[in-house]
Amino acid sequence: MEMAKYLFLCLLLFAAEFFAQQDTISYKLSMRYKYPLGSNKITMEQGYFVEGEKYIIPVDSLVDPLDPFNDFYNSIEKSAFWMDNGAIDENIFLDITLDGLDNATGWPEITHGHQLFLYLTIEVYTMPDSILVPGDYNFAPGKYIHFAIPKHEAFLAGLDTLGMEPDSLGFRYIINGGYDSTGIQTINEADTVQFRALHLSKFGGGRGRLPTNPPSKMIENVPGIPEKYNLEQNYPNPFNPSTSIMYSLPKSGLVELKIYDITGAEVGTLINDYQNAGVYKVVYSAENLSSGIYIYELRSGDTRLSKKMLYLK
């Protein structure tokens, strides 16, 4: 009997030490969508969990049954998000955003020339000071975050709407100008499609495995602070398959640089981010497009500039 009591006490002490080492992750789940005159972000749920424990995206969080994003949200309901034990050594707050939604279609917009079934942005704040961690938030070596979407009926219906096959899906980090596969792994199984990643940032899920190399690359620190907004003619023009686009920002702000075909349909987003005043250069590859005339457009504040370019394969 004494031995049983001793073993029970040891078990309690071990459990107390184990759970004491688990850090708390507070979170806010939001959805951000765009419409012609701007964007809006709505909070859907808030709470907390601990590392090693799964957070499950709840069912039926949308209030309006006529919401255009119902099909998208239903497709990722019951998805699980979790961190390995020991991944972090502090309490943190996560601003989890179902991002890049198109108010016209209800699905993630075309990003860097590719249709996505998921655009996920996760910003990290340290607690209790609530300071945003700049850049990527890295985990302890050999530890990961995981995000798993069950292949339930609503998810499969969403893939069918987007023209995607459930056995050919993949995830990448979304970066300025393209995608990056470093530090992220897709696990596509019969009942789930998921990724595990070494740091928190922006994630995209799409057809196939998305490009492993960015289709365009932003080059900053071009000398000079301009006096006005400017969008230069791409060079070379005509081009095949790459061309450079240079633009100038006299003040800091949200910047969008997008590509459209001659009918006005968006075929790619090169930049969608906050940028400081300066001169920027983007190298863009259109190898996934057909030959033809395309329009590239710069938006920042009340300024909108556009030019035409010719792609010849």
Side-chain angles (χ1 to χ4, degrees):
M1 182 65 69
E2 292 299 323
M3 178 61 69
K5 289 182 179 178
Y6 174 76
L7 291 175
F8 181 68
L9 285 174
C10 288
L11 181 61
L12 287 178
L13 290 172
F14 172 79
E17 181 180 357
F18 175 78
F19 285 108
Q21 293 175 350
Q22 290 182 297
D23 293 292
T24 300
I25 301 105
S26 302
Y27 70 88
K28 176 177 69 175
L29 177 66
S30 303
M31 192 163 5
R32 177 159 44 211
Y33 61 90
K34 294 185 177 181
Y35 50 92
L37 298 180
S39 63
N40 191 27
K41 184 175 178 179
I42 55 175
T43 299
M44 306 170 65
E45 190 192 37
Q46 299 184 71
Y48 69 92
F49 57 100
V50 297
E51 55 183 336
E53 177 182 283
K54 290 184 178 181
Y55 162 62
I56 307 296
I57 292 182
V59 176
D60 297 331
S61 279
L62 297 181
V63 176
D64 185 356
L66 299 179
D67 194 304
F69 311 108
N70 270 321
D71 288 344
F72 163 72
Y73 186 83
N74 292 340
S75 74
I76 52 94
E77 283 179 342
K78 302 180 182 179
S79 295
F81 174 89
W82 71 99
M83 296 181 186
D84 292 335
N85 280 320
I88 58 178
D89 60 1
E90 59 183 341
N91 296 329
I92 58 175
F93 173 82
L94 300 182
D95 190 351
I96 306 172
T97 305
L98 303 170
D99 217 339
L101 296 172
D102 187 337
N103 190 55
T105 68
W107 294 92
E109 64 181 357
I110 294 174
T111 303
H112 308 316
H114 294 267
Q115 175 66 60
L116 303 179
F117 63 84
L118 179 71
Y119 188 141
L120 187 67
T121 297
I122 303 179
E123 295 179 314
V124 183
Y125 294 78
T126 57
M127 299 297 288
D129 47 8
S130 297
I131 296 178
L132 175 65
V133 178
D136 300 329
Y137 186 86
N138 295 290
F139 299 115
K143 303 296 182 179
Y144 299 90
I145 62 101
H146 307 258
F147 188 89
I149 305 176
K151 292 181 178 178
H152 48 53
E153 184 178 350
F155 178 70
L156 297 177
L159 293 181
D160 187 60
T161 297
L162 299 174
M164 299 183 187
E165 297 293 333
D167 59 349
S168 180
L169 302 173
F171 293 95
R172 292 286 184 262
Y173 286 113
I174 299 176
I175 59 175
N176 277 329
Y179 301 96
D180 186 10
S181 61
T182 306
I184 184 170
Q185 179 185 3
T186 298
I187 305 168
N188 198 344
E189 299 178 332
D191 55 351
T192 64
V193 59
Q194 60 181 287
F195 68 80
R196 67 175 192 174
L198 289 172
H199 65 259
L200 291 173
S201 182
K202 297 182 178 181
F203 304 92
R207 180 184 291 107
R209 293 188 177 273
L210 299 175
T212 55
N213 296 312
S216 59
K217 181 180 181 182
M218 184 178 69
I219 304 173
E220 301 188 41
N221 299 325
V222 178
I225 300 296
E227 296 181 357
K228 63 179 182 179
Y229 290 98
N230 187 42
L231 179 63
E232 297 188 14
Q233 186 64 52
N234 65 299
Y235 180 83
N237 187 43
F239 66 98
N240 178 22
S242 299
T243 189
S244 297
I245 300 172
M246 187 171 290
Y247 59 94
S248 304
L249 307 173
K251 59 182 180 180
S252 303
L254 181 63
V255 177
E256 290 185 347
L257 181 61
K258 296 190 174 185
I259 309 294
Y260 300 87
D261 65 21
I262 198 63
T263 69
E266 182 182 328
V267 297
T269 298
L270 304 187
I271 305 296
N272 182 16
D273 208 349
Y274 184 93
Q275 291 185 320
N276 294 322
V279 181
Y280 294 83
K281 180 182 178 182
V282 175
V283 179
Y284 172 60
S285 175
E287 57 187 7
N288 295 322
L289 300 180
S290 301
S291 296
I293 297 174
Y294 292 88
I295 299 167
Y296 57 102
E297 182 180 73
L298 175 73
R299 295 186 187 184
S300 185
D302 296 328
T303 299
R304 180 182 296 187
L305 303 172
S306 63
K307 290 184 180 294
K308 294 180 180 179
M309 59 184 179
L310 177 60
Y311 175 41
L312 296 177
K313 283 190 174 181

